[in-house]
Amino acid sequence: MSASSAIRVFRLFPLEIPMKKAFRHAARERRIAEPLIVEVELADGTLGHGETLPRDYVSGETVDGAIQTIANTLVPKLLSFHPASFTDALEKIDALPMRDRDGQVITAARAGVELALLDAYSRHFRKRISDVAGWLDLSGLSGPASIDKVRYTGVVSGDQLKRIPWSIRKMRWFGLTDFKLKVGYDDDIERVRLAARTIGSQLGEHLTLRLDANGGWTYERAAECLAQLKDVPIACVEQPLRKSAHKPLVQLSSEFEVPLMADESLVTPEDAQMLIDDRAVEWFNIRLSKNGGLLPALRLVHLAARHKIGTQLGCMVGETSVLSAAGRRFLEMAPRVRFAEGSYGPFLLRGDVTGRRVGFGYGGRPKRLPDQGWGITIDRRKLYHWAPEGAITLPL
């Protein structure tokens, strides 16, 4: 054991960052981003940072609830945490629970703590986080990474109809080739057809369109929309039904040829296995904050590959560069990720917590990040600036 690797303190920063414009979908409208930044300080002064965005309609967690979970469930499990190597640290980090003692899902809280610990111990032991792939030793992670091929998606929120063409044209001017349209409204048929016309004749060939209902459709409404849109080359429909409507989702999948993607229905490993067993979807939307962190997310990629299920790196609306950078590391390890979302902070948020913000280049191309950890530099003045009530300190 190494005394210098012991955890000295956790600090939690509930942030409030104004968004440049409201972001709408069927489940919510957001004008203020509310990320929760987790900072861990080791005995030698090394700092690590993680981020999570709890959503009650996703994992059942809230920001306040996640703070309580971190303080009362996760931090107590780290009191004797003194790893002697990066491998030792990974073993202990991997053991963090996905549920609390009452059986409640705590994946968002776990993600924030896990990501902070990975960042800290990568820096402390001078190891790259990409070493995680070898440590997991999963055959599905043996292929070439996705980062050099995948392109970030342009997401069109639940704006008024007249704004859809302008949003898509701006994204096309920036070279984006994959688009996702938020649906779950009374005018969905017109909304989808307008988006398809704006994308143009290359839709279904070099350009793609996905729909995301965020659970806003009933089975009857989903069936109606899919029947009327059979002639539109839709790549997939994400979370068409509410997360509790598993049997209707299976039925919808069997009756229509349009591939379905699970998002809010895919939180735990048990969710993933049930979706696979019942052949409910053809795609998984994997989000680090939703699914418990980097290690569970990579295991989901492995599971998906074994069962020939496509994968997407999803994001949380309002995430800062911390979570975006963690997503970039995910793409450095995970093979065959077809779609990527995230790194939208420069477009959506009026502020961030890093010196240089994590975005993507022309055409949605991601850039590799340097050095150990997440490859970013936290600006602590910005961190405290966007935390109106300051830091919550949890000493060990």
Side-chain angles (χ1 to χ4, degrees):
M1 293 186 181
S2 172
S4 65
S5 71
I7 298 171
R8 177 182 295 164
V9 64
F10 275 96
R11 300 182 188 92
L12 309 182
F13 295 85
L15 307 186
E16 294 181 8
I17 305 177
M19 302 183 73
K20 293 182 178 180
K21 67 173 186 175
F23 188 90
R24 302 177 181 88
H25 57 70
R28 291 290 189 278
E29 174 181 319
R30 299 192 180 280
R31 296 181 181 273
I32 302 290
E34 298 178 306
L36 176 62
I37 301 295
V38 179
E39 179 180 82
V40 60
E41 181 179 346
L42 305 186
D44 67 352
T46 301
L47 295 177
H49 294 89
E51 178 181 355
T52 189
L53 288 92
R55 300 281 196 256
D56 57 354
Y57 62 92
V58 178
S59 65
E61 299 167 88
T62 63
V63 172
D64 289 342
I67 290 170
Q68 293 301 314
T69 296
I70 292 170
N72 299 328
T73 300
L74 297 176
V75 167
K77 293 184 178 298
L78 300 169
L79 295 175
S80 60
F81 199 66
H82 307 88
S85 65
F86 191 48
T87 297
D88 190 23
L90 290 177
E91 291 176 354
K92 292 178 170 60
I93 294 169
D94 193 34
L96 291 172
M98 302 278 275
R99 296 178 182 271
D100 64 16
R101 285 173 292 185
D102 297 324
Q104 297 299 310
V105 170
I106 56 171
T107 50
R110 185 196 187 282
V113 172
E114 185 223 64
L115 296 177
L117 293 172
L118 288 173
D119 188 34
Y121 287 110
S122 168
R123 298 174 187 275
H124 175 82
F125 292 112
R126 300 183 183 278
K127 297 291 186 179
R128 296 183 64 84
I129 286 183
S130 57
D131 291 349
V132 166
W135 177 79
L136 285 170
D137 193 26
L138 298 174
S139 59
L141 302 183
S142 60
S146 303
I147 191 166
D148 295 325
K149 291 187 177 181
V150 76
R151 299 290 178 261
Y152 280 90
T153 291
V155 179
V156 183
S157 74
D159 289 326
Q160 297 176 353
L161 275 174
K162 63 183 180 181
R163 294 184 59 85
I164 290 175
W166 172 237
S167 296
I168 292 175
R169 289 184 186 120
K170 283 195 301 182
M171 296 171 188
R172 284 294 295 130
W173 291 333
F174 196 65
L176 301 188
T177 57
D178 298 310
F179 303 91
K180 184 165 84 171
L181 177 67
K182 294 291 186 177
V183 294
Y185 306 94
D186 293 339
D187 59 359
D188 279 340
I189 303 299
E190 188 178 359
R191 179 177 296 270
V192 174
R193 291 196 179 278
L194 179 57
R197 287 197 304 270
T198 305
I199 293 171
S201 60
Q202 295 188 70
L203 179 61
E205 298 179 10
H206 304 294
L207 308 177
T208 68
L209 174 64
R210 311 194 304 282
L211 309 183
D212 184 5
N214 286 102
W217 281 343
T218 62
Y219 173 83
E220 292 74 19
R221 178 59 172 162
E224 176 189 11
C225 289
L226 296 185
Q228 292 190 41
L229 294 169
K230 282 184 177 180
D231 59 313
V232 180
I234 297 169
C236 69
V237 179
E238 184 177 330
Q239 199 62 42
L241 312 179
R242 67 185 187 278
K243 62 182 297 183
S244 61
H246 179 73
K247 288 184 178 179
L249 182 67
V250 175
Q251 183 178 353
L252 194 69
S253 180
S254 67
E255 292 184 358
F256 292 90
E257 294 183 359
V258 177
L260 305 182
M261 177 185 289
D263 182 11
E264 287 88 349
S265 294
L266 174 67
V267 176
T268 66
E270 293 80 13
D271 293 336
Q273 194 60 58
M274 181 170 64
L275 290 164
I276 289 169
D277 291 344
D278 293 340
R279 298 181 180 179
V281 296
E282 296 181 44
W283 291 86
F284 282 176
N285 183 12
I286 299 172
R287 297 195 271 175
L288 304 189
S289 176
K290 172 191 72 170
N291 293 123
L294 182 64
L295 301 180
L298 290 171
R299 286 196 169 93
L300 282 177
V301 169
H302 168 67
L303 182 65
R306 284 176 48 204
H307 294 277
K308 296 181 172 56
I309 289 177
T311 49
Q312 166 181 296
L313 168 64
C315 70
M316 308 299 291
V317 175
E319 69 182 35
T320 75
S321 288
V322 177
L323 195 51
S324 293
R328 200 65 54 83
R329 294 295 192 217
F330 173 84
L331 293 176
E332 290 177 357
M333 290 179 273
R336 296 180 293 278
V337 176
R338 173 60 183 88
F339 300 111
E341 298 174 357
S343 298
Y344 298 138
F347 305 103
L348 293 180
L349 302 183
R350 295 192 180 278
D352 211 319
V353 297
T354 55
R356 184 175 181 179
R357 304 177 78 168
V358 176
F360 50 79
Y362 181 82
R365 291 174 173 82
K367 297 179 181 179
R368 291 181 179 268
L369 298 174
D371 304 322
Q372 287 86 33
W374 303 130
I376 55 177
T377 301
I378 297 294
D379 186 328
R380 293 180 61 75
R381 293 174 301 175
K382 294 180 180 179
L383 188 59
Y384 277 93
H385 174 76
W386 294 117
E389 298 183 8
I392 299 169
T393 302
L394 304 174
L396 271 74

